[in-house]
Amino acid sequence: MRIAVIGGGPGGLYFSALVMQLDPSHEVTVWERNAADDTFGFGVVFSDETLGGIEHADPLVHEWMEREFARWDDIDVTFRGQTITSGGHGFAAMSRRRLLELLQERCRDLGVTLHFLSEAPDVAELARTHDLVVAADGLNSTVRARYADTFGPSIDVRRCKYMWLGTSKVFDAFKFDIRETPYGVMQVHGYPYDAHGSTFIVEMNEEVWRAAGFDAFATQEFAPGQSDEKSIAKVTELFADVLDGHEVMANNSRWISFSTVRNETWRHDNVVLLGDAAHTAHFSIGSGTKLAMEDALSLAACLHEGHDLTGALEAYETERKAVVLSTQRAAQASLEWFENLGQYVHQDPWQFAFNIMTRSRRVTYENLKLRDPEFVARVDRWFGEHTGDTREDGADVPPMFRPFTLGGLELVNRVVVSPMDMYCAVDGYANDFHLVHLGGKALGGAGLVMTEMVCVSAQGRISPGCTGIWSDDRAEAWRRVTDFVHAESAAKIGIQLGHSGRKGSTKLMWEGIDLPLDEGNWEVVAPSALPYREGVNQVPRELDAADLARIKQEFVDAARRADDAGFDLLELHCAHGYLLSSFISPVTNRRTDGYGGDLAARLRYPLEVFTAMREVWPAHKPMTVRISATDWVDDGITGGDAVLIAEAFKAVGCAAIDVSTGQVTPDERPAFGRSYQTPYADRIRNTVDIATIAVGVISSYDDVNSLLLAGRADLCALGRVHLYDPSWTLHAAAEQEYTGPGVRWPLPWQAGQRRPQTGRTDGPKPRLELIRHGPAGTRHARWRPSESMDR
């Protein structure tokens, strides 16, 4: 094959070397517009997985790199004058310049033609004269721009400013230095890359950047390659103690806003994207160089495995895209964490250190226990002291089994069975199914069990199978459930009250979710006459003043009956596009009276309903509110709006916000993934100072422990996992070998509180491959260049 490679960075060079190594009959030419010794940035970091792939694909390149590596295990977090260290992480880094030199040498040895200080010929001409064109031309890819209609790129420019610098100070570990300055919070990401220098990245929110005056420096015109010396001087002054008198090194160093690049496809005929041209991921979770070299390895392998060109490029994109999307999700969580860093500065340094370690959701509580059990034990002890848990001492208490007081309600642990509609009622009455369903979850160990949305009127049902509490006899049917939960478990039980609004009069979920009934329809109502689906669902009748008063009274009556029925907690459903949610969202509320308009006006009716219910609901019992913290559409509710919504409900006596998202409009485009809604609960908890309940694809006890210990939520609500395993909480305790008061096995079940024995497994236990040949316990290796050179 004749192969043209546009871009002589690590990804393009490594690909060229690999394909020539696999088949020397290829003709590979690389064009790079910069000089051979030009590089932007200082050090690059590699994961164990990447190094394993390199070692297998080209042992010689791996051997050369191995000689250059700075290796260490520790991460130091400096915050509020205290440095906390977590070990066992395993890093390998090297100079970017040296990496380029090695890859250039390998390419020359294998017969790759390299052109430096040379613009590549027109990509269309290259595509005509070559079998394959690899566009490894970086973040600002001209090839991607040329074929944008095919590639479908999106570029998300983020809210932080950062500058890539180097320093002659050789750090001995990865450094996070978080600094509260007169302008706001700034942070340093630093790590060594050889015996002579370290990467030194300064980052801050754009508001802080402007407050510090850096925007004034950035307005000047910079010549190619010129650095922002005024900003560098100020950074040197602000972080003088970190630099300790050492030189700051610049290399085309200016303020940058990170851009996340995504493409719908990476292929256009015989042109393919690689590395930053195809995708970017925030530097706080890894290296773009690492991803580019993984791309190169995959593309070379797919080309060599006997596919035709089209099949090879399809296989490459399929193989890499899933990995990259996963990396980008983690990187998005990490970059958003740093964008919102200011909301965590109130945290204790130990909790803050755990929070920063787990920010991407890839490193978790259990993962950190494997890497550094002493660190996690210390944070666990802090959490127990902070929560005032006097039931048991020591660090062997998983956070999920610490108690929590919600209003005046004592919960034995922090696991909540999330409200889940069952569609099994007849004429609104709870029945044996609900007794077994909710009673079983209470026996299963959760601290709080929530009903499905219980409707305040027949008109307010979603479907004919929804439960209700619009009469005393329907309330009495619930009494069977609450009595059982209180008598047979340590759980508390809460009721969620709501009205379906425009999403009512629909089929049972398994018959067709959100589809209208074929017969037996009832009138649906809403703030505005807007159907859920145009041409599919009913056009709702717009509520008038009399309707609003009547429905508010229905909520009040339902609250009284819920207390009579023995419920411990009441949650008002203001999420998911049901009636009260429809008032809050601008997508569904187009009213021109006092209940429509800006957010304050749209909140008016839900707040009136809440206030009226709070007056009749006993003072010692808490009330919570479930909200949709974003509508996942343009011009809908945003995370910023959710903060204001939470503040408004807090002001009228809400004890906690149950933070969900979406389901307001069928046009939504949620960023679905593991724990994808928790950043909204995190933001509300740490800015509004109100308890939050996190919900949304929280699927493991590891996730629960991680969220709670990092201070991102106070309680975690889990739905599907409790459908899969009604005794999920008990089994989570058994898996973690926890037997304390945070979970109570029913007496008849106590013989089963240990995990059943399974077949013998002789396979190797997981370990971090970068931590080699060390003694048992946490590795705290630091980078000591003199020791490495001596070896």
Side-chain angles (χ1 to χ4, degrees):
M1 293 178 67
R2 293 192 74 212
I3 301 174
V5 179
I6 304 174
L13 291 172
Y14 187 50
F15 166 78
S16 302
L18 287 175
V19 292
M20 287 298 286
Q21 177 191 336
L22 291 169
D23 186 348
S25 69
H26 292 315
E27 178 187 321
V28 182
T29 306
V30 178
W31 283 270
E32 169 55 50
R33 62 177 175 265
N34 296 302
D37 59 351
D38 281 349
T39 183
F40 303 102
F42 295 90
V44 293
V45 182
F46 293 96
S47 68
D48 185 40
E49 182 180 9
T50 305
L51 292 177
I54 292 172
E55 183 175 17
H56 179 74
D58 192 333
L60 184 59
V61 167
H62 182 270
E63 180 184 339
W64 289 352
M65 292 171 64
E66 183 73 34
R67 295 173 188 163
E68 305 288 334
F69 281 144
R71 287 189 178 275
W72 71 96
D73 296 303
D74 283 353
I75 298 174
D76 291 342
V77 179
T78 301
F79 175 61
R80 285 166 50 179
Q82 187 172 347
T83 298
I84 294 172
T85 299
S86 173
H89 297 280
F91 292 95
M94 66 183 296
S95 161
R96 179 179 170 86
R97 183 186 300 274
R98 184 64 182 136
L99 176 62
L100 288 171
E101 291 172 353
L102 296 178
L103 293 174
Q104 290 167 15
E105 181 179 350
R106 183 63 169 148
C107 283
R108 292 190 183 98
D109 290 347
L110 291 167
V112 177
T113 301
L114 303 176
H115 297 297
F116 292 99
L117 292 173
S118 300
E119 291 289 345
D122 182 75
V123 63
E125 178 64 16
L126 288 176
R128 187 182 66 80
T129 57
H130 290 73
D131 298 297
L132 174 66
V133 179
V134 178
D137 53 342
L139 171 66
N140 299 311
S141 171
T142 58
V143 176
R144 185 183 66 227
R146 175 75 169 270
Y147 299 120
D149 288 346
T150 300
F151 292 128
S154 66
I155 301 176
D156 180 16
V157 181
R158 303 303 304 184
R159 295 188 288 113
C160 274
K161 295 286 187 178
Y162 71 98
M163 183 180 288
W164 209 285
L165 298 164
T167 175
S168 59
K169 181 178 176 64
V170 180
F171 297 131
D172 58 358
F174 199 104
K175 306 286 186 179
F176 285 120
D177 192 296
I178 313 301
R179 184 141 315 184
E180 295 177 76
T181 74
Y183 317 108
V185 186
M186 303 179 184
Q187 65 265 17
V188 163
H189 311 243
Y191 58 87
Y193 57 78
D194 63 17
H196 308 289
S198 300
T199 295
F200 185 79
I201 305 169
V202 180
E203 185 182 28
M204 64 200 74
N205 189 285
E206 187 170 358
E207 293 178 3
V208 178
W209 179 77
R210 293 186 183 281
F214 288 120
D215 57 329
F217 303 148
T219 56
Q220 72 176 87
E221 292 291 327
F222 294 101
Q226 182 183 1
S227 296
D228 183 349
E229 298 295 344
K230 290 182 179 178
S231 289
I232 293 169
K234 187 160 189 172
V235 164
T236 303
E237 178 184 343
L238 285 166
F239 292 95
D241 58 327
V242 178
L243 296 164
D244 194 25
H246 287 77
E247 176 189 4
V248 173
M249 299 177 289
N251 181 358
N252 197 36
S253 300
R254 306 170 196 168
W255 293 109
I256 307 168
S257 296
F258 188 84
S259 298
T260 300
V261 174
R262 300 177 179 88
N263 285 276
E264 292 179 13
T265 182
W266 299 357
R267 298 170 286 123
H268 172 75
D269 297 332
N270 64 336
V271 179
V272 66
L273 302 178
L274 184 148
D276 283 358
H279 51 73
T280 59
H282 194 254
F283 56 83
S284 62
I285 72 154
S287 164
T289 298
K290 170 187 109 62
L291 288 175
M293 292 181 70
E294 290 173 349
D295 284 356
L297 197 156
S298 173
L299 180 57
C302 290
L303 289 168
H304 190 67
E305 285 170 353
H307 303 282
D308 59 19
L309 181 62
T310 299
L313 298 185
E314 287 176 352
Y316 157 68
E317 182 172 343
T318 299
E319 179 179 298
R320 286 298 297 157
K321 207 166 190 180
V323 175
V324 167
L325 288 174
S326 175
T327 301
Q328 287 185 318
R329 281 194 294 269
Q332 187 77 7
S334 182
L335 76 83
E336 289 177 358
W337 192 94
F338 281 109
E339 285 178 343
N340 298 311
L341 180 60
Q343 72 188 32
Y344 304 116
V345 294
H346 66 281
Q347 290 188 328
D348 179 271
W350 282 100
Q351 184 175 46
F352 183 91
F354 182 87
N355 197 352
I356 200 172
M357 296 291 182
T358 58
R359 67 194 179 279
S360 72
R361 302 198 286 274
R362 278 192 163 182
V363 176
T364 63
Y365 179 84
E366 289 295 319
N367 187 273
L368 272 176
K369 283 182 77 172
L370 175 66
R371 297 170 186 236
D372 191 345
E374 296 89 353
F375 169 77
V376 174
R378 178 63 184 83
V379 186
D380 273 341
R381 280 195 300 274
W382 171 85
F383 192 67
E385 295 163 1
H386 175 72
T387 58
D389 185 3
T390 59
R391 302 176 306 175
E392 48 192 329
D393 297 323
D396 297 327
V397 181
M400 64 187 290
F401 294 117
R402 296 289 186 183
F404 185 69
T405 301
L406 185 58
L409 186 66
E410 297 284 343
L411 302 178
V412 69
N413 62 50
R414 293 169 181 252
V415 178
V416 179
V417 176
S418 194
M420 294 175 283
D421 290 320
M422 292 290 106
Y423 306 104
C424 289
V426 177
D427 196 23
Y429 287 93
N431 53 41
D432 287 350
F433 180 92
H434 301 91
L435 174 65
V436 174
H437 164 60
L438 296 171
K441 305 303 182 293
L443 291 175
L448 175 64
V449 176
M450 292 297 301
T451 69
E452 61 196 80
M453 185 177 89
V454 178
C455 304
V456 298
S457 67
Q459 184 188 48
R461 291 173 296 161
I462 304 167
S463 77
C466 290
T467 58
I469 197 167
W470 61 82
S471 66
D472 292 343
D473 55 343
R474 288 176 175 82
E476 189 60 30
W478 281 112
R479 189 83 206 194
R480 293 179 66 215
V481 179
T482 62
D483 283 349
F484 178 88
V485 170
H486 292 145
E488 301 296 338
S489 78
K492 305 300 183 185
I493 183 164
I495 186 171
Q496 185 187 74
L497 294 179
H499 186 297
S500 60
R502 70 175 188 164
K503 294 177 76 175
S505 191
T506 60
K507 296 180 179 180
L508 305 182
M509 179 179 65
W510 46 88
E511 295 175 347
I513 191 167
D514 295 328
L515 293 179
L517 293 167
D518 295 327
E519 57 184 20
N521 284 283
W522 58 86
E523 181 187 48
V524 298
V525 294
S528 302
L530 301 169
Y532 182 65
R533 281 192 177 93
E534 190 76 42
V536 177
N537 296 96
Q538 276 189 59
V539 176
R541 179 172 61 80
E542 182 171 312
L543 294 166
D544 60 23
D547 294 322
L548 295 177
R550 171 179 53 81
I551 291 174
K552 180 170 71 173
Q553 187 60 48
E554 289 171 350
F555 273 99
V556 170
D557 293 341
R560 285 198 188 96
R561 293 191 183 103
D563 179 43
D564 292 340
F567 286 102
D568 303 301
L569 173 147
L570 188 158
E571 179 167 281
L572 182 61
H573 202 333
C574 294
H576 299 170
Y578 299 122
L579 181 66
L580 299 181
S581 169
S582 293
F583 272 91
I584 297 172
S585 173
V587 174
T588 48
N589 184 344
R590 307 289 174 79
R591 298 176 74 96
T592 57
D593 61 5
Y595 294 106
D598 63 13
L599 179 59
R602 299 196 309 273
L603 270 168
R604 182 181 166 193
Y605 185 64
L607 290 172
E608 286 180 358
V609 171
F610 182 96
T611 301
M613 295 170 73
R614 182 68 270 187
E615 289 175 357
V616 301
W617 183 250
H620 68 281
K621 292 185 178 183
M623 280 184 65
T624 64
V625 175
R626 172 166 277 195
I627 67 169
S628 286
T630 175
D631 291 339
W632 298 114
V633 291
D634 294 337
D635 302 320
I637 290 295
T638 66
D641 293 331
V643 170
L644 300 176
I645 293 167
E647 288 175 342
F649 278 109
K650 177 186 176 182
V652 293
C654 181
I657 305 295
D658 184 357
V659 187
S660 188
T661 65
Q663 301 180 52
V664 172
T665 167
D667 299 326
E668 68 179 8
R669 294 293 181 267
F672 190 80
R674 178 169 139 256
S675 303
Y676 73 112
Q677 295 177 156
T678 58
Y680 297 96
D682 183 356
R683 182 175 180 182
I684 289 170
R685 182 184 188 275
N686 286 292
T687 56
V688 181
D689 189 28
I690 188 173
T692 59
I693 305 169
V695 63
V697 200
I698 303 170
S699 53
S700 71
Y701 62 77
D702 192 16
D703 289 338
V704 173
N705 286 328
S706 300
L707 294 169
L708 296 172
L709 195 55
R712 297 175 194 144
D714 298 281
L715 300 167
C716 288
L718 300 92
R720 288 177 177 85
V721 297
H722 281 111
L723 297 180
Y724 178 76
D725 179 3
S727 296
W728 182 85
T729 307
L730 295 180
H731 294 158
E735 292 281 344
Q736 297 173 86
E737 299 182 348
Y738 174 75
T739 59
V743 67
R744 191 181 96 184
W745 285 77
L747 290 175
W749 293 3
Q750 288 194 356
Q753 61 185 305
R754 290 187 178 181
R755 290 183 61 189
Q757 291 184 346
T758 57
R760 178 174 173 178
T761 301
D762 292 326
K765 294 187 176 183
R767 66 189 181 96
L768 300 172
E769 290 297 330
L770 283 176
I771 305 171
R772 296 185 172 93
H773 312 303
T778 304
R779 287 275 293 175
H780 283 290
R782 316 284 280 192
W783 171 232
R784 311 290 188 197
S786 58
E787 295 174 10
S788 177
M789 294 169 72
D790 289 342
R791 289 195 298 270

